[in-house]
Amino acid sequence: MKIEPIEIRDKLGRTIVLRNAIPDDANDLIRYLEVISAETPYLIREPDEITITHEQEVSFINNCLASNKSLMLIATLNGKYIGNCSLSPIGNYKRYSHRCEVAIALYQEFCGYGIGKSMLENVLEVAKGLGFEQAELEVISDNRNAIALYEKLGFKKYGSFPDNMKYANGEYASADWMMKKL
């Protein structure tokens, strides 16, 4: 889906532009996945598993733009890509039509400045406007900063997935399932 760009101010007073991802952003999105998967243990892929092609990313972006229920929102600072927040239906079945999934990630250097909170607030507002009744997400159980943000926005934990991920070093991480009524 397409939305009008939104300007916000972060905690440092910087102007952040939230806008749709467009095909020209494909390389930035791929590079972002490569960098952030190495920066944090909280994403589902190891850095060497980022194998998406430019064409695949362009196709994904175009599908989001053409959809009436999916959104890929990116954040930029002075035109530089710094993170994204997505919204997508849980499934295409009527019985799931009230549910959507949200996901967010920023380059680590931009975390803690209110950017993620603003992105999520805007995406949740869009979700509600589309008729979704609940937003869901999955978060690694020891990602305390993310969980604190989600709770601040009204998400509640409803379950856990023990040993949800197994890292390359053999360690496991559990995940929490969180949901917010819209």
Side-chain angles (χ1 to χ4, degrees):
M1 78 175 308
K2 296 178 184 174
I3 65 164
E4 291 297 316
I6 301 162
E7 284 191 5
I8 62 168
R9 296 261 181 209
D10 72 1
K11 290 179 180 178
L12 297 178
R14 299 176 292 189
T15 300
I16 308 296
V17 176
L18 309 179
R19 64 169 176 81
N20 284 103
I22 58 174
D24 287 348
D25 296 316
N27 287 336
D28 286 339
L29 287 164
I30 294 168
R31 173 79 179 124
Y32 163 78
L33 282 173
E34 293 167 347
V35 170
I36 199 160
S37 66
E39 282 185 337
T40 177
Y42 300 128
L43 300 182
I44 62 172
R45 296 180 190 166
E46 294 286 345
D48 63 347
E49 293 179 305
I50 309 300
T51 59
I52 189 167
T53 67
H54 176 83
E55 293 75 22
Q56 289 169 322
E57 189 65 15
V58 167
S59 177
F60 173 76
I61 292 167
N62 282 331
N63 286 339
C64 286
L65 289 169
S67 171
N68 60 356
K69 292 281 190 176
S70 296
L71 173 64
M72 172 59 80
L73 187 68
I74 69 167
T76 61
L77 172 62
N78 299 323
K80 178 186 172 198
Y81 174 84
I82 61 173
N84 67 58
C85 187
S86 63
L87 161 71
S88 55
I90 293 290
N92 294 321
Y93 304 107
K94 291 178 186 176
R95 292 179 181 182
Y96 279 6
S97 65
H98 64 293
R99 299 169 60 199
C100 67
E101 181 176 32
V102 295
I104 185 167
L106 295 164
Y107 281 116
Q108 292 299 297
E109 67 184 282
F110 296 101
C111 292
Y113 297 106
I115 300 166
K117 181 176 183 248
S118 292
M119 291 178 78
L120 273 170
E121 287 171 336
N122 279 284
V123 164
L124 292 170
E125 185 177 311
V126 168
K128 187 173 182 177
L130 291 173
F132 289 114
E133 297 172 25
Q134 67 188 49
E136 304 172 18
L137 58 84
E138 191 176 297
V139 59
I140 298 303
S141 301
D142 67 355
N143 189 347
R144 299 190 197 299
N145 291 337
I147 291 169
L149 170 62
Y150 302 146
E151 288 174 341
K152 189 182 297 183
L153 293 174
F155 283 87
K156 292 186 172 100
K157 176 182 167 181
Y158 287 94
S160 294
F161 301 102
D163 298 338
N164 179 269
M165 290 197 304
K166 183 177 180 180
Y167 296 112
N169 67 4
E171 292 182 20
Y172 292 90
S174 296
D176 295 339
W177 180 75
M178 299 183 79
M179 188 266 291
K180 171 189 172 80
K181 290 289 187 182
L182 299 175

